[in-house]
């Protein structure tokens, strides 16, 4: 089934509020029903060291420069790969990740104009080795739709008014993030699937399932 060890690595990317986590859960449920081991993970923050890094990275009281921020994300990823991703792939699991190498390329590279995206590509390769995603879904929606969903989620979780460092950024930044993901998808057509995410949850899930089934020849 896979190219990353015995299992397969599937990442989900997109702007804030594009619905990645909901879709990951739905895909995982469907795959588990077929008897596969499925591991759900996310970045940043999937390990104990990573959850400390996540707090730092999302805390609006810090304002690290672009390179420091990049190195923190890579440190989180390295630990994530060592403790979660590589062992799961070795066991033959399907690993579904909420954000991975492409978020760094887009957020710290393409959208910020401070660090060459090609340097980020090289560092990402160094950090994850051959644990590159086999398949990546980009959930694409207009920035206004995503940010409203993110706000709604904050209201529901009681985190209203405490937008994290990224949610606080201006609309133009989020639009560059969106464009960055779409630019990646144009270059690496084999790996990426762009899914329109401003639709019903079930409709989006059905599209993801269709693409997944085609890729892995599931009938
Ligand atoms: P989340 O809201 O999907 O949990 O992601 C947390 C934030 O981290 C999100 O705003 C995007 C940002 N991020 C990066 O800037 N670079 C990265 O490499 C990753 C994984 C996330």
């Amino acid at each position: 089934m896979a190219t990353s060890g015995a299992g397969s690595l599937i990442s989900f990317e997109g702007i804030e509020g594009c619905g990645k986590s909901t879709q990951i859960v739905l895909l995982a449920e469907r795959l588990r029903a077929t008897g596969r081991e499925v591991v759900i993970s996310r970045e940043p923050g999937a390990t104990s060291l990573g959850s400390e890094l996540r707090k730092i990275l999302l805390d609006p009281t810090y304002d690290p420069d672009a390179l420091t921020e990049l190195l923190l994300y890579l440190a989180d990823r390295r630990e994530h790969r060592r403790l979660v991703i590589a062992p799961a792939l070795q066991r033959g699991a399907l690993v579904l990740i909420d954000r991975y190498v492409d978020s760094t390329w887009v957020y710290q590279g393409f959208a910020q104009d401070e660090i060459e995206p090609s340097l980020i590509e090289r560092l990402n390769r160094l950090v994850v080795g051959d644990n590159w995603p086999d398949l990546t879904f980009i959930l694409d929606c207009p920035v206004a739709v995503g940010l409203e969903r993110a706000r709604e989620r904050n209201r529901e979780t009681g985190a209203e008014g405490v937008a994290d460092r990224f949610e606080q950024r201006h609309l133009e930044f989020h639009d560059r993030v969106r464009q960055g993901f779409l630019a990646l998808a144009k270059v690496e057509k084999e790996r990426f699937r762009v899914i329109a995410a401003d639709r019903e949850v079930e409709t989006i899930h059905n599209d993801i399932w269709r693409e997944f089934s085609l890729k892995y020849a599931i009938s």
Side-chain angles (χ1 to χ4, degrees), residues 91-103:
R91 291 197 305 273
L94 289 167
V95 182
L96 309 185
I97 315 185
D98 188 337
R99 297 196 185 283
Y100 196 46
V101 288
D102 304 305
S103 273

Side-chain angles (χ1 to χ4, degrees), residues 134-152:
D134 301 296
L135 176 65
T136 298
F137 289 104
I138 292 176
L139 301 190
D140 180 58
C141 69
V143 168
V145 173
L147 291 187
E148 181 47 38
R149 276 201 207 134
R151 266 182 229 117
E152 206 172 295

Side-chain angles (χ1 to χ4, degrees), residues 12-17 20-21 42-45 54 57-58 69-70 73-74 76-77 98-108 112 124 153 164-167 169 173-174 177 181:
F12 287 71
E13 301 280 6
I15 61 166
E16 326 292 310
K20 292 179 275 88
S21 45
R42 70 162 182 182
E43 288 194 1
R54 182 181 175 93
L57 279 161
L58 301 190
E69 182 177 281
L70 169 66
Y73 278 111
L74 293 172
D76 170 70
R77 179 158 308 134
D98 188 337
R99 297 196 185 283
Y100 196 46
V101 288
D102 304 305
S103 273
T104 317
W105 189 92
V106 168
Y107 279 86
Q108 279 66 54
Q112 292 200 40
N124 263 333
R153 183 183 59 206
D164 69 34
R165 226 156 53 72
F166 287 87
E167 285 166 7
R169 284 180 164 160
F173 174 81
H174 291 287
V177 168
F181 284 124

Side-chain angles (χ1 to χ4, degrees), residues 199-215:
R199 298 178 299 160
E200 290 296 314
V201 166
E202 255 328 287
T203 312
I204 300 168
H205 168 66
N206 287 336
D207 278 4
I208 290 175
W209 180 252
R210 189 174 46 249
E211 292 295 340
F212 187 92
S213 310
L214 281 173
K215 164 110 180 157

Side-chain angles (χ1 to χ4, degrees), residues 66-80:
L67 185 57
T68 303
E69 182 177 281
L70 169 66
L71 295 171
L72 290 170
Y73 278 111
L74 293 172
D76 170 70
R77 179 158 308 134
R78 179 82 181 165
E79 190 75 348
H80 186 200

